Amino acid sequence: MIVNEQVAIDHGLKKDEYEKICELLKRTPNITELGVFSAMWNEHCSYKSSRLHLKTLPTKGKQVIQGPGENAGVIDIEDNDAIVFKIESHNHPSFIEPYQGAATGVGGINRDIFTMGARPIAQLNSLRFGSIDLARTKWLLAGVTKGIGDYGNAFGIPIVGGEVFFDDCYNTNPLVNAFSAGIMKKGDMISATSSGVGNPVFIVGSRTGKDGIHGASFASKDITEDSADDLPAVQVGDPFQEKLLLEATLELGKTDAVVGMQDMGAAGITCSSNEMSAAGGHGMDIWLDKVPTRQENMKDWEILLSESQERMLIVVEKGKESIVHEIFDKWDLSSEQIGVVTEGDRARYFMHGELVADVPCDDLVLGGGAPVYHREWSEPAYYSKWQKFDINQVSQPEDLIEVSKFLTGHENIASKRWVYEQYDSMVGTVNMSTNQPSDAGVVNLKGINRALAMTVDCNARMVNADPEEGCAMAVAEAARNIVCSGGIPSAITNCLNFGNPYNPEVYWQFVGAIKGMKKACEKFKTPVTGGNVSFYNQSSVEGKDVPVFPTPTIGMLGVLEDKKHFMSLSFKGKSDLIYMIGKAENNISSSEYLASYHSIKESPAPKLDLELEYEVQQTVTKLIREGCIESAHDISNGGAFITLLESAMVNNLGFDITTSAEIREDAFLFGESPSRVIVSVRETMEDAFLDTLKDINVPFVLLGHVTRGEIRVDDKVFGNIKEYKMLYDNALEDKLKQ
């Protein structure tokens, strides 16, 4: 095929990008080279529309061993141990084929962890779907959850938490974000940087097939009615192969044979070979005909761009090739030398001795010569309009019991038991929060007195209402969940899901979210160690591009410095006192109550006072450390009533509370203003509790007490815990059956 400007555009490149390629090569690229540039310069690999703003985020901290730039972030948890963690999206593949799309998302994020030399120990996921009434939503939900469950269960890593959210904006384009964390000794980190001219380059693991070709490019374009034709862009996973690859890789990492290692994800061999070469400041020759393939007569570009799963590219110290073969033979996995490290800065690809592509490594990669764009942005008209919302325009319902039951059974609040029962949460015996649920997933670290707390959080509705404030609240909520579980927030990884960056209003959302993340991370001293940007999450509806809610998912890691600090969210005993730390506001903006019960979607985000939020979290930490409280649960989706309900249901207890006379009752019960935590206190500990708070400038109020099972609000009986628990536990499954 003769390459020209139109062919380049058909490959997803812009006119100026094609001109730059010709300038770099000092000639017209051939079709294989064009494919290489197309894969490496798309949004998914180059971050060309996001890098400028991502660079403003805080990335350093006393605990950070490795920030952005590697396969995953690494933090120091002392005791000579380090935690490797990351979150990534697999949105577009899950839209096309939900089972394999979600399954390979799980596989890919775990490979990022063990490529670094760490053993994965826990997973989380953050899922977004459209209206639960749609048959397609039910199909997507069933496929995604089964894909996550089947792959994760077979791989043997517990899923210890997550979130599921439904909204019409995700009707076509679901979001599937997967988080994984692993542990290693501090000195065992393996870098994705190679070096040493003459060192052999190996491909190990599964054979290369035609699945996943152009997967990275597919993730960098809008979803349309024709996107189903892109099924070959979806990878096919094999968790059993991945388990073997994990063990073989970690065993090889303990030897002195490895120079560098890179997971083969987006853009396959193309990305791995160029990124490793650029990082090491050298070139690489790759012999594509040496790559073990699943199909006969695969073309050079197919081998280069395949995103077949369960593969690694490893640079090995010359003379130690036999170590690689012995280990991978032991685990019944392929290991073939397919290239060599060279002088210079070129990646050259050969097929049966013929040079089929010759490209400059550094000019291809993120952080090198890949394009970086200053996109225009503009504030959408809705933003100022929504700021005018007045709570007094919304009548308070006469029957708040009806509201409480409506919210308890709403798909965004009710138990996600139907989802998580498909996951193995106990494999590996590390999950500390299965029988005693907590705001974050808490993972036992064997052999030491520390534990990990981890969470994924984002209220996308609030981010849509106010990107800066909403994203700051996402970080704050993640930190609050860590704190309420007994941990100290350490660092974050992010998965930034947005629409088309060429849309100025979408880009305004993105820039605002980054600003909010920056100020919140600086306040909580939680540097960003890496993550993922996923643009083009939108659909073409009757010829109009409709983006999803801006959804910057925050994956946060925290450390319990002593396992005795573990704190559950459950009320423990009748007559325990119930306090609220923080201050209730006369605000129902962007709440589930306002959006779903009143069907009012146009309202601002609640305001976040970062200083107050920080002080509330410090106060809760102090209360836990001094043993003053029995439970802690942050107020978020559904408001104070749902928080109380979730704390009560675990042990089949109830609550009797009094709301504030200064605030509308519906706002007190169902408003979602941030910076609030519900705690329970034994009567015998109340004096100690109050003594701890007396010198702390944080508002708090006694709400009431725990009951044997009855729920009372302002002396009115709302029902019994058993009926709420039945509704809460079964609502989602019942709706999926309709």
Side-chain angles (χ1 to χ4, degrees), residues 370 580 634 680:
M580 180 172 69
D634 85 308
S680 62

Side-chain angles (χ1 to χ4, degrees), residues 287-290 297-298 303 350-356:
W287 315 312
L288 297 173
D289 51 291
K290 299 293 185 182
N297 301 316
M298 286 184 66
I303 298 170
F350 298 84
M351 191 75 171
H352 303 299
E354 180 186 352
L355 180 65
V356 295

Side-chain angles (χ1 to χ4, degrees), residues 236-256:
V236 178
D238 183 343
F240 301 104
Q241 282 284 97
E242 177 123 330
K243 180 66 174 173
L244 295 175
L245 184 61
L246 161 69
E247 300 300 340
T249 300
L250 293 183
E251 185 174 338
L252 182 64
K254 300 295 184 184
T255 73
D256 61 356

Side-chain angles (χ1 to χ4, degrees), residues 513-532:
I514 296 297
K515 290 178 180 176
M517 190 186 308
K518 178 178 185 294
K519 69 181 183 183
C521 286
E522 288 175 343
K523 184 62 187 177
F524 300 115
K525 297 181 176 60
T526 51
V528 180
T529 63
N532 172 232

Side-chain angles (χ1 to χ4, degrees), residues 149-181:
D150 284 359
Y151 199 105
N153 297 349
F155 188 54
I157 309 299
I159 295 173
V160 300
E163 56 178 359
V164 184
F165 181 82
F166 299 88
D167 191 273
D168 291 354
C169 74
Y170 305 104
N171 276 351
T172 301
N173 197 143
L175 302 184
V176 178
N177 296 176
F179 171 106
S180 182

Side-chain angles (χ1 to χ4, degrees), residues 201-208 264 269 285-295 298-300 303-304 311 313 325 334-340 349-354 356:
V201 180
F202 276 74
I203 189 171
V204 300
S206 294
R207 290 176 173 268
T208 298
M264 281 194 207
I269 293 173
D285 283 355
I286 298 291
W287 315 312
L288 297 173
D289 51 291
K290 299 293 185 182
V291 176
T293 58
R294 294 184 196 145
Q295 289 96 17
M298 286 184 66
K299 298 180 177 63
D300 53 67
I303 298 170
L304 263 174
R311 300 179 302 155
L313 198 72
H325 290 305
S334 170
S335 62
E336 294 290 338
Q337 183 181 350
I338 63 166
V340 64
Y349 303 98
F350 298 84
M351 191 75 171
H352 303 299
E354 180 186 352
V356 295

Side-chain angles (χ1 to χ4, degrees), residues 56-93:
T56 66
L57 294 171
T59 59
K60 300 184 184 299
K62 63 179 183 179
Q63 291 180 287
V64 177
I65 296 174
Q66 177 64 57
E70 282 283 353
N71 284 296
V74 186
I75 65 165
D76 184 351
I77 62 167
E78 300 184 5
D79 299 311
N80 198 36
D81 291 310
I83 300 298
V84 182
F85 71 117
K86 190 181 181 184
I87 189 170
E88 277 198 343
S89 65
H90 235 224
N91 304 333
H92 285 46

Side-chain angles (χ1 to χ4, degrees), residues 113-188:
I113 303 306
F114 67 77
T115 301
M116 301 279 294
R119 181 174 292 276
I121 56 173
Q123 303 171 105
L124 307 167
N125 50 69
S126 176
L127 311 176
R128 303 288 195 284
F129 299 98
S131 169
I132 199 169
D133 299 323
L134 297 178
R136 179 170 177 82
T137 294
K138 295 173 182 178
W139 175 72
L140 286 168
L141 176 62
V144 166
T145 53
K146 185 169 175 55
I148 292 171
D150 284 359
Y151 199 105
N153 297 349
F155 188 54
I157 309 299
I159 295 173
V160 300
E163 56 178 359
V164 184
F165 181 82
F166 299 88
D167 191 273
D168 291 354
C169 74
Y170 305 104
N171 276 351
T172 301
N173 197 143
L175 302 184
V176 178
N177 296 176
F179 171 106
S180 182
I183 189 168
M184 69 180 181
K185 296 300 179 184
K186 279 187 258 188
D188 289 349

